[in-house]
Amino acid sequence: MKLEVKNLKKSFGEKEVLHEISFSVESGSALGLLGRNGAGKTTTIRILMDVFKSNGGEILLDGRPFRPKEHGIGYLPEERGLYPKKTVSEQLIYMGMLRGLTARQAKENMKKWLERMEVAEYENRKLETLSKGNQQKVQLAQTLICDPEIVILDEPFSGLDPVNSQILKDVITEQIQDGRLVIFSSHQMSYVEEFCEDIVILNHGEVVLSGDLKEIKREFGQDRLVLSSLNEAPGKLAERLSSTFDDLLEVEKIQKDRVIIRKKAPDGKTAILERLLQEKVDLEFFGLYEPSLNDIFVEKAGDDL
């Protein structure tokens, strides 16, 4: 399957919050839908779920208009929606039946997913008696109980400790490997890097960056180098580079124990290294700069920071 969002627009009153955004995602892969608070991520997801109607554009599945009710969709919203005073089993069975399962199927799937999430022992407990992390795992079990074709996860790792996070990581990886179409929204960039081949970054309701994450990293790292010194602090090293090497490079930023520089000439790496050795800079590290997704996100969506 291929899901395509084309020129999507949404307004609330006179305020347009989505400005013709476009992206696509295919089965067996995960798309990272990123943006700061208020960027338009949740609005986009709610349009996909047919909670909101768009004011323009279209959503296609395999080239045809996408009708959410005709497809199995598992949605984990950022605002959790289960019932705290109901037992885990009765509400998961209820949710499964709402989404087309028979009572028997819902019960079987409930047991399967509670076992997979390692919370089967809480089957007959009220949700409110569980820890926040275990509640979150029950929420994900609810998301997957109908074996959906499309999985939409909004901040799925919120409130989880490292052990429970690993369980969720394994489950999400399994969903991708099983051919599900996954849309993953999170502010925790390390998880996005782990799951997603493609990303879309929204800012003020517009797509400011999209594409293959590896290609984006390669492009952002182009003409940039990273270096550190054994005996000079990054700030002092940056000052020295700016004053002595300004014909070859410019200092872009300081990160903890290293300095990021930009070459002034495409083939300037060798010339910079030779000059560093001539100037007796005691190098600890010198190499190509590969930005993290967090670096890229801040550069593209951090205009107000």
Side-chain angles (χ1 to χ4, degrees):
M1 296 190 302
K2 182 177 182 179
L3 183 71
E4 298 174 275
V5 172
K6 294 188 173 183
N7 304 315
L8 204 64
K9 297 171 68 175
K10 178 62 182 175
S11 297
F12 294 104
E14 296 182 356
K15 184 178 180 182
E16 187 174 83
V17 296
L18 294 182
H19 314 298
E20 298 188 354
I21 69 169
S22 299
F23 59 85
S24 65
V25 57
E26 298 188 35
S27 297
S29 64
L31 174 78
L33 182 62
L34 312 176
R36 296 174 65 186
N37 293 331
K41 306 184 303 297
T42 300
T43 299
T44 301
I45 289 171
R46 287 175 177 172
I47 293 172
L48 281 169
M49 296 294 299
D50 205 25
V51 176
F52 292 160
K53 298 295 183 183
S54 68
N55 297 107
E58 59 182 347
I59 303 173
L60 305 176
L61 186 66
D62 292 335
R64 297 183 177 184
F66 176 55
R67 296 181 175 86
K69 291 180 182 178
E70 297 177 4
H71 301 277
I73 301 177
Y75 176 38
L76 178 70
E78 184 175 5
E79 303 85 9
R80 308 312 180 211
L82 293 181
Y83 303 102
K85 296 191 180 298
K86 296 290 185 180
T87 65
V88 169
S89 60
E90 64 183 327
Q91 59 187 309
L92 288 188
I93 292 171
Y94 172 67
M95 291 293 182
M97 292 175 68
L98 278 182
R99 291 154 71 186
L101 301 180
T102 65
R104 181 176 178 178
Q105 289 171 330
K107 186 174 182 179
E108 288 175 354
N109 285 7
M110 177 270 296
K111 288 184 175 294
K112 177 184 78 172
W113 281 111
L114 290 184
E115 188 72 34
R116 180 65 188 87
M117 298 295 175
E118 300 184 8
V119 287
E121 62 191 283
Y122 305 120
E123 175 182 335
N124 296 312
R125 294 262 299 270
K126 290 183 178 180
L127 188 71
E128 64 183 0
T129 66
L130 275 59
S131 68
K132 185 176 180 180
N134 284 330
Q135 288 186 31
Q136 181 70 342
K137 291 196 287 185
V138 171
Q139 293 275 357
L140 189 58
Q142 179 273 137
T143 301
L144 301 174
I145 195 167
C146 66
D147 294 325
E149 305 166 281
I150 299 169
V151 180
I152 302 174
L153 305 171
D154 195 352
E155 296 294 352
F157 292 93
S158 176
L160 294 180
D161 60 42
V163 173
N164 284 327
S165 292
Q166 186 60 52
I167 294 170
L168 253 68
K169 285 196 289 186
D170 292 343
V171 168
I172 294 170
T173 299
E174 289 165 8
Q175 295 302 300
I176 296 168
Q177 292 174 345
D178 287 345
R180 307 287 192 265
L181 188 156
V182 178
I183 297 175
F184 182 82
S185 181
S186 179
H187 289 121
Q188 296 170 286
M189 299 298 159
S190 60
Y191 292 127
V192 178
E193 289 194 82
E194 188 163 349
F195 299 123
C196 301
E197 294 181 9
D198 296 285
I199 62 165
V200 175
I201 298 180
L202 302 181
N203 197 26
H204 303 302
E206 297 181 351
V207 174
V208 294
L209 186 67
S210 65
D212 180 272
L213 182 54
K214 288 182 180 178
E215 292 296 326
I216 289 171
K217 283 190 169 189
R218 191 175 296 115
E219 182 180 335
F220 268 73
Q222 200 170 33
D223 297 330
R224 293 173 176 172
L225 300 169
V226 58
L227 62 153
S228 61
S229 170
L230 288 168
N231 55 17
E232 287 184 85
K236 190 172 183 64
L237 177 60
E239 289 180 12
R240 184 178 179 186
L241 292 172
S242 295
S243 61
T244 310
F245 297 78
D246 61 322
D247 58 323
L248 295 175
L249 60 86
E250 60 179 283
V251 173
E252 193 161 275
K253 54 187 168 182
I254 301 169
Q255 288 188 333
K256 294 183 179 178
D257 59 348
R258 62 184 193 165
V259 179
I260 311 301
I261 63 173
R262 184 182 291 275
K263 301 179 292 180
K264 288 190 173 180
D267 56 350
K269 180 182 176 183
T270 301
I272 291 170
L273 181 57
E274 288 176 350
R275 180 81 69 82
L276 287 166
L277 296 175
Q278 288 172 6
E279 296 291 332
K280 295 184 169 46
V281 176
D282 194 359
L283 290 173
E284 179 182 37
F285 181 84
F286 176 86
L288 297 174
Y289 172 59
E290 180 178 311
S292 67
L293 180 54
N294 192 73
D295 296 335
I296 295 168
F297 181 84
V298 170
E299 184 167 327
K300 297 302 293 186
D303 53 351
D304 297 328
L305 293 178

